Amino acid sequence: MRGQLLLMLIVGARQGLGYAALGLPSALLLAVFAGLAEAIPMVGPYLGAIPAILIALTVSPQVALLLAGYTIVLHLVESNVLVRGSWKRLSGLTPLTVVLALLAGAALGGLIGALLAIPIAAAVQAAIVNLIKASEPGGK
């Protein structure tokens, strides 16, 4: 949970900086929405940017395109650097395990399943490691 909250804060702050730099009205409100949308696995950052892009269209099409590009780059950096590093450090899971757990959790339980997927995967991994250690000669 700490990792997800941290990612939500980082994404909201970075989106807010981008919105303010582009001169969007209600940049703070849009940034809070983008940060909250980060809780939705995989598509959250894009869903969070839709209201900002629609408002940017009222400013100018160029601003909307810049904002869309900024959001895509931000999400790529976030998913390839922040998410992988934070989930691995906080849960001990590899990036592949995280992605597979999220996909399985979302398929089985929707949004709630995706939110619970990482803690469940970490618990299963810990149980398997403990079983392997206990079955080794001299293992405790």
Side-chain angles (χ1 to χ4, degrees):
M1 287 301 279
R2 287 183 300 174
Q4 185 63 40
L5 291 173
L6 180 62
L7 288 172
M8 291 168 65
L9 179 67
I10 291 170
V11 168
R14 288 188 178 167
Q15 285 288 63
L17 289 173
Y19 298 162
L22 291 171
L24 286 185
S26 304
L28 180 60
L29 179 64
L30 293 168
V32 169
F33 179 75
L36 292 173
E38 176 64 26
I40 303 169
M42 294 186 210
V43 296
Y46 300 116
L47 293 176
I50 289 173
I53 292 171
L54 292 174
I55 290 174
L57 279 171
T58 66
V59 175
S60 80
Q62 293 82 9
V63 171
L65 282 174
L66 283 171
L67 183 57
Y70 176 76
T71 299
I72 290 169
V73 169
L74 179 64
H75 179 62
L76 289 173
V77 169
E78 176 238 343
S79 64
N80 288 311
V81 177
L82 295 176
V83 172
R84 288 182 183 179
S86 67
W87 282 122
K88 184 169 175 81
R89 188 177 70 253
L90 293 172
S91 69
L93 299 173
T94 65
L96 178 62
T97 306
V98 169
V99 170
L100 292 176
L102 284 173
L103 290 174
L108 295 173
L111 178 61
I112 300 298
L115 291 174
L116 295 174
I118 303 302
I120 291 170
V124 168
Q125 178 177 307
I128 291 171
V129 167
N130 287 335
L131 285 172
I132 291 171
K133 286 181 180 180
S135 67
E136 292 176 350
K140 294 181 181 180

